């Protein structure tokens, strides 16, 4: 007898009232290409939604559709490119000035990241960050950004420039770097 049958067969008595229960279990599997806990939980949630749309009271393993499988494959290819870019130092930092409206003398810059393709063309973050998040590469990218921004800041300080950088990092890096 399955656990669902046991739950279905159980009748709860509360005073003069009785109630039966049901159980729906959604399962989201993980793999080498899907390691992100949020993605796994999201898939389990989708499995439960599928169950509830068909009456509930069963177990369902989430099966990604064709477009999601294509996204996973695309992310896997981009993740390999990111690993090569990290290995071969093929990222570039861009510095956008933040202008003080009050005339402060200190220079402020927001730091932006671009990945360089094999041919040297710039790849925008929107084209590689989702794959980096999906494949757990954001901390490595953040380390690259921080290390290289510190080098630039040190060089500028030696040239007597008083600068501040604003750098966005992922949540996982917050825990790693503290």
């Amino acid at each position: 007898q399955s656990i669902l049958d046991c739950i279905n067969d159980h009748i709860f008595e509360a005073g003069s009232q009785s109630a039966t229960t049901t159980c729906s279990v959604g399962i989201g599997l993980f793999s080498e290409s899907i390691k992100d806990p949020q993605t796994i939980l999201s898939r389990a949630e989708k499995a439960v939604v599928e169950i509830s749309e068909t009456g509930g009271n069963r177990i369902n393993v989430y099966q990604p559709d064709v477009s999601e499988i294509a996204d996973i494959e695309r992310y896997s290819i981009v993740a390999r490119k990111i690993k090569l870019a990290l290995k071969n130092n093929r990222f570039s930092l861009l510095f956008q000035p933040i202008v003080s409206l009050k005339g402060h003398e200190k220079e402020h810059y927001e730091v932006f990241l671009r990945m360089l393709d094999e041919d040297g063309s710039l790849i925008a973050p929107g084209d590689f960050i989702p794959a980096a998040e999906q494949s757990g590469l954001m901390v490595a990218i953040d380390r690259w950004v921080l290390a290289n921004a510190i080098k630039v800041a040190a060089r500028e300080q030696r040239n007597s420039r008083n600068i501040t950088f604003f750098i966005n990092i992922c949540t996982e890096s917050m825990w790693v770097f503290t």
Side-chain angles (χ1 to χ4, degrees):
Q1 187 173 19
S2 78
I3 190 155
L4 291 179
D5 292 333
C6 291
I7 291 171
N8 286 341
D9 293 344
H10 189 76
I11 298 175
F12 290 95
E13 300 289 337
S16 63
Q17 299 288 323
S18 63
T20 58
T21 58
T22 62
C23 178
S24 298
V25 178
I27 299 172
L29 301 176
F30 70 93
S31 66
E32 279 301 310
S33 60
I34 304 293
K35 297 178 187 174
D36 176 45
Q38 270 315 114
T39 301
I40 297 164
L41 290 173
S42 173
R43 286 180 165 196
E45 213 173 312
K46 289 176 183 177
V48 170
V49 168
E50 288 175 3
I51 293 169
S52 61
E53 289 173 351
T54 59
N57 201 35
R58 63 186 180 91
I59 296 172
N60 184 28
V61 177
Y62 178 75
Q63 299 295 325
D65 62 17
V66 173
S67 66
E68 189 173 342
I69 292 170
D71 286 344
I72 292 167
E73 182 61 28
R74 187 171 33 84
Y75 284 170
S76 179
I77 291 167
V78 174
R80 284 193 293 276
K81 288 183 178 188
I82 293 168
K83 288 176 185 175
L84 280 171
L86 285 165
K87 180 180 176 184
N88 298 317
N89 202 33
R90 283 199 328 255
F91 284 98
S92 177
L93 297 179
L94 303 174
F95 302 89
Q96 179 175 330
I98 302 171
V99 180
S100 170
L101 298 177
K102 296 184 179 183
H104 294 290
E105 290 184 26
K106 190 166 190 170
E107 295 178 63
H108 299 276
Y109 295 89
E110 185 167 4
V111 179
F112 294 103
L113 177 69
R114 298 294 182 267
M115 188 168 79
L116 299 170
D117 209 345
E118 291 85 8
D119 65 0
S121 59
L122 293 177
I123 300 171
D127 294 333
F128 67 89
I129 294 295
E133 291 170 337
Q134 185 76 30
S135 59
L137 292 169
M138 282 307 302
V139 171
I141 290 173
D142 285 347
R143 285 183 181 186
W144 188 96
V145 169
L146 291 171
N148 286 277
I150 289 168
K151 288 177 189 176
V152 171
R155 183 184 68 227
E156 295 303 317
Q157 189 171 15
R158 283 191 301 272
N159 292 330
S160 302
R161 288 184 66 197
N162 187 11
I163 61 172
T164 299
F165 290 150
F166 293 90
I167 302 171
N168 295 311
I169 61 174
C170 71
T171 306
E172 293 83 11
S173 291
M174 295 293 293
W175 297 110
V176 171
F177 300 140
T178 56

